[in-house]
């Protein structure tokens, strides 16, 4: 690890810890957030020549000065407009931990659209620059800057304050936070086969944020479940794509390349959570990932256990994607026809009937059942429907393989 | 993707044409403000088109479009938005939708999930 990387990592941990006190002191989340970004930038330029004795105090000083300057220059205008600061400074002292949690809730405010929640969380809590976030989402920097600035205006207009949500809203607000971290993870995980190595590793960042959240709310089973799910999924990263970026299906992955320490940590986390916390969808998904992770070979997979877990998941959080995965698991236990029967239930489901994954699963099950012509047609249909280049390539390969076999 | 019929467009009055250009300006401004605009371009007339073919490693460049048609691809917007519904809603604001038609198609991406 280079000095530069060590400093970047340090800065990103400090970002929310600096932003919190600033917002409490001055109000004006928007201005403070910009000021912290500028302080982070200044630090990344200056620190490699010598770290300050107290990095957090250094950042606080630089950012405070910046906020004060900005507020002074805004003062005349504000006096004229007589606006009320949306973020009334609160006097109570809060620990850095509470600040990070409060920021997470604020950035995942329900009035924001998911893309805005993701972007704002990565910047204000994750300490990433707008340019890094823009690259990660494949949009121009100006587009991302606009999205972030608009997100800040939206939460200001919603009258959100820099305090933890009230108790009666806390559970539902936490669900939004978890969903945002899940989306950040997926964005990074699905892209990790892509050719762009310049991207910030979003899945790594999501795991870091989920770890922080777990440290702040250690007793919440779904936080543990999400963290375990991320670790167990990310453990497959090195095996899920070939050098050329093409995807390797789970059953064909070289399991010796799976990250054992991540699996161990994920399994430990989910085992403990299942034993003591109320069950929830992330925990069940983590449990399913754990069953896969613990099979030494694909043939050793305990599919019966997975079927049971999907039944539970369908009960807790029903949805077409769950049904789709359940069909695969049932096919492995009861034979391809059982899976195809389950799949038929999705034919009339407008949410998913035209989704390429239905055709992909159908193709796979038809192939298992020996219907090569049917499988070929379904793979081709799936390949035509997907908007993912690596998935399209994988599906075309499967189809071509069947044609060659004919 | 904006399909344009030049004959139809030339038959418009100056005021009508101005309205088309104004509509594009306003849409671009709004999409930039919402953080949905990734990029856009207007493409030159088919008269400026060169078509390139390579056969047996030998390139051949000819003047004019690959497909002869009354309409041609006149420009495009690349947007990043939440849903297909939002994308088609944006497309209804492209002035050319009132004259010819606008096609909405997803951009392929490099992300993928192992199956």
């Amino acid at each position: 690890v280079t000095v530069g990387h060590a400093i970047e990592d340090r800065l990103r941990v400090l970002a929310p810890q600096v932003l919190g006190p600033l917002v409490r002191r001055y109000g004006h989340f928007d201005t403070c957030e910009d000021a912290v970004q500028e302080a982070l930038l200044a630090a990344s330029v200056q620190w490699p020549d010598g770290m300050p004795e107290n990095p957090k105090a250094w950042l606080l000083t630089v950012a405070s000065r910046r906020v004060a300057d900005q507020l002074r220059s805004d003062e005349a205008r504000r006096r004229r407009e007589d606006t009320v600061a949306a973020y009334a400074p609160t006097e109570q002292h809060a620990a850095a931990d509470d600040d990070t949690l409060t920021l997470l809730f604020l950035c995942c405010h329900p009035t924001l659209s998911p893309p805005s929640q993701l972007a704002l969380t990565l910047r204000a809590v994750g300490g990433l620059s707008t340019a890094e976030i823009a690259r990660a989402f494949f949009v121009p920097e100006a587009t991302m800057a606009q999205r972030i600035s608009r997100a800040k205006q939206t939460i200001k207009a919603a009258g959100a304050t820099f305090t933890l949500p009230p108790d009666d809203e806390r559970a539902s607000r936490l669900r939004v936070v978890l969903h945002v971290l899940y989306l950040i993870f997926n964005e990074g995980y699905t892209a990790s086969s892509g050719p762009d190595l310049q991207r910030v590793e979003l899945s790594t960042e999501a795991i870091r944020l989920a770890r922080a959240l777990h440290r702040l709310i250690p007793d919440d089973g779904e936080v543990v479940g999400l963290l375990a799910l991320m670790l167990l999924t990310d453990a497959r990263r090195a095996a899920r794509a070939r050098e050329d970026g093409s995807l390797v299906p789970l059953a064909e992955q070289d399991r010796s390349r799976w990250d054992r320490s991540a699996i161990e940590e994920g399994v430990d986390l989910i085992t403990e959570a299942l034993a003591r916390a109320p069950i929830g969808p992330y925990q069940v998904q983590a449990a399913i990932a754990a069953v896969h992770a613990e099979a030494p070979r694909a043939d050793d997979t305990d599919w019966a256990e997975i079927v049971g877990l999907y039944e539970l998941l369908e009960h807790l959080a029903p949805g077409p994607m769950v049904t789709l995965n359940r069909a695969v698991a049932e096919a492995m236990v009861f034979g391809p026809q059982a899976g195809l029967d389950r799949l038929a239930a999705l034919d009339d489901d407008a949410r998913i009937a035209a989704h390429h994954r239905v055709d992909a699963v159908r193709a796979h099950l038809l192939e298992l059942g020996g219907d090569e012509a049917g499988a070929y047609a379904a793979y081709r249909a799936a390949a035509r429907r997907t908007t993912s280049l690596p998935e399209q390539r994988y599906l075309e390969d499967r189809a071509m393989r069947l044609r060659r076999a004919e | 993707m904006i399909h344009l019929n030049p004959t139809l467009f030339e038959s418009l009055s100056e005021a009508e044409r101005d309205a088309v250009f104004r509509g594009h300006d306003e849409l671009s401004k709004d999409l930039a403000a919402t953080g949905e605009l990734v990029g856009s371009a207007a493409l030159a007339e088919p008269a400026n088109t060169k078509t390139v073919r390579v056969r047996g490693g030998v390139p051949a460049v000819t003047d004019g479009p690959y497909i002869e048609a009354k309409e041609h691809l006149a420009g495009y917007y690349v947007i990043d938005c939440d849903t297909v519904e939002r994308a088609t809603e944006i497309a209804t604001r492209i002035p050319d939708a009132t004259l010819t038609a606008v096609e909405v198609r997803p951009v392929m991406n490099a992300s993928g999930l192992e199956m």
Side-chain angles (χ1 to χ4, degrees):
Chain A
V1 179
T2 66
V3 178
H5 275 120
I7 290 176
E8 292 295 318
D9 290 348
R10 188 78 192 276
L11 286 173
R12 282 161 59 185
V13 173
L14 287 172
Q17 296 178 19
V18 173
L19 179 53
L22 227 55
V23 177
R24 267 185 288 106
R25 176 163 169 204
Y26 294 102
H28 303 284
F29 173 68
D30 190 357
T31 308
C32 293
E33 207 276 326
D34 284 336
V36 170
Q37 280 285 325
E38 287 177 37
L40 294 175
L41 187 64
S44 69
V45 173
Q46 294 177 33
W47 290 8
D49 299 331
M51 284 284 280
E53 210 163 290
N54 184 339
K56 186 173 163 181
W58 189 97
L59 287 171
L60 264 173
T61 308
V62 172
S64 296
R65 206 174 292 145
R66 184 78 202 119
V67 174
D69 286 351
Q70 187 62 43
L71 292 182
R72 245 195 312 278
S73 76
D74 288 350
E75 201 175 3
R77 180 183 57 82
R78 232 192 345 278
R79 220 184 280 123
R80 270 200 310 278
E81 294 175 2
D82 195 31
T83 50
V84 180
Y87 294 88
T90 47
E91 288 307 314
Q92 101 263 12
H93 178 79
D97 280 358
D98 290 343
D99 280 344
T100 302
L101 193 56
T102 307
L103 273 176
L104 260 177
F105 279 118
L106 193 63
C107 294
C108 302
H109 199 274
T111 53
L112 299 175
S113 69
S116 301
Q117 291 169 334
L118 264 65
L120 195 56
T121 300
L122 286 168
R123 208 173 107 126
V125 189
L128 296 180
S129 70
T130 302
E132 288 172 316
I133 302 167
R135 267 203 301 277
F137 288 92
F138 303 107
V139 299
E141 190 175 342
T143 302
M144 190 51 78
Q146 188 54 34
R147 222 175 266 181
I148 290 169
S149 129
R150 213 175 144 89
K152 290 197 281 191
Q153 288 162 22
T154 303
I155 46 178
K156 189 173 182 177
T161 53
F162 190 69
T163 49
L164 287 169
D167 284 348
D168 59 333
E169 283 177 25
R170 195 158 154 152
S172 67
R173 294 285 302 275
L174 182 60
R175 271 203 300 279
V176 180
V177 172
L178 291 178
H179 187 60
V180 168
L181 298 188
Y182 177 77
L183 291 177
I184 293 173
F185 177 82
N186 264 352
E187 186 74 30
Y189 185 74
T190 56
S192 63
S193 66
D196 193 347
L197 299 172
Q198 293 300 306
R199 302 173 86 227
V200 171
E201 263 309 334
L202 285 182
S203 36
T204 308
E205 180 62 16
I207 290 173
R208 185 176 79 80
L209 293 173
R211 269 190 210 287
L213 187 61
H214 174 47
R215 201 169 41 77
L216 300 171
I217 320 177
D219 293 333
D220 189 284
E222 281 296 87
V223 175
V224 183
L226 178 59
L227 175 57
L229 174 62
M230 289 178 179
L231 288 166
L232 290 164
T233 308
D234 198 51
R236 301 201 296 258
R237 189 202 297 223
R240 66 184 291 270
R242 295 184 192 87
E243 294 257 309
D244 62 2
S246 60
L247 294 166
V248 185
L250 191 54
E252 292 169 22
Q253 289 179 12
D254 174 1
R255 296 182 179 218
S256 69
R257 299 186 67 195
W258 285 2
D259 179 347
R260 283 295 136 196
S261 69
I263 289 174
E264 204 171 300
E265 187 187 359
V267 169
D268 285 351
L269 282 167
I270 189 59
T271 308
E272 204 215 317
L274 288 173
R276 61 176 173 80
I279 193 80
Y282 288 118
Q283 291 169 79
V284 179
Q285 290 177 76
I288 293 167
V291 176
H292 284 298
E294 286 182 313
R297 294 169 307 155
D299 289 345
D300 301 324
T301 308
D302 187 347
W303 285 105
E305 168 100 34
I306 292 178
V307 167
L309 288 166
Y310 272 120
E311 276 170 22
L312 180 59
L313 186 57
E314 198 149 43
H315 175 71
L316 290 169
M321 275 298 170
V322 180
T323 309
L324 192 63
N325 288 318
R326 185 178 169 180
V328 176
E330 284 176 335
M332 299 307 284
V333 177
F334 307 113
Q337 193 53 48
L340 288 166
D341 291 346
R342 175 74 59 196
L343 220 51
L346 294 175
D347 286 345
D348 301 325
D349 191 330
R351 290 171 297 177
I352 201 175
H355 198 284
H356 72 278
R357 292 194 81 85
V358 178
D359 284 319
V361 168
R362 180 172 291 123
H364 174 65
L365 299 184
L366 289 170
E367 188 181 2
L368 273 180
D371 179 357
E372 293 195 349
Y376 174 80
Y379 277 128
R380 292 301 304 268
R384 276 196 301 271
R385 276 179 171 160
T386 183
T387 58
S388 153
L389 289 165
E391 287 179 6
Q392 186 174 62
R393 183 168 162 195
Y394 167 77
L395 294 161
E396 289 286 2
D397 283 352
R398 301 296 288 205
M400 289 316 288
R401 212 153 75 174
L402 286 175
R403 169 154 284 184
R404 265 199 300 276
E406 265 169 15
Chain B
M1 290 180 291
I2 299 161
H3 295 275
L4 182 85
N5 179 328
T7 318
L8 177 65
F9 194 73
E10 281 155 16
S11 73
L12 298 181
S13 71
E14 198 181 332
E16 285 168 325
R17 255 184 269 184
D18 282 349
V20 169
F21 293 129
R22 211 167 38 244
H24 280 290
D25 286 347
E26 282 166 12
L27 181 61
S28 297
K29 218 175 287 165
D30 290 351
L31 292 175
T34 57
E36 291 173 312
L37 184 64
V38 173
S40 68
L43 302 177
E45 266 277 305
N48 299 306
T49 302
K50 297 216 180 288
T51 298
V52 178
R53 290 177 181 79
V54 182
R55 296 290 179 271
V58 183
V61 181
T62 53
D63 288 330
Y66 177 51
I67 297 169
E68 294 286 354
K70 282 204 291 288
E71 290 81 19
H72 67 95
L73 181 65
Y76 61 85
Y77 285 83
V78 178
I79 54 167
D80 184 1
C81 62
D82 286 355
T83 59
V84 176
E85 288 71 26
R86 172 65 185 150
T88 50
E89 182 193 332
I90 290 168
T92 62
R93 288 197 50 200
I94 296 178
D96 306 78
T98 62
L99 302 169
T100 42
V102 173
E103 279 182 8
V104 178
R105 224 188 280 176
V107 175
M108 294 291 283
N109 62 81
S111 303
L113 206 58
E114 77 252 45
M115 306 199 186

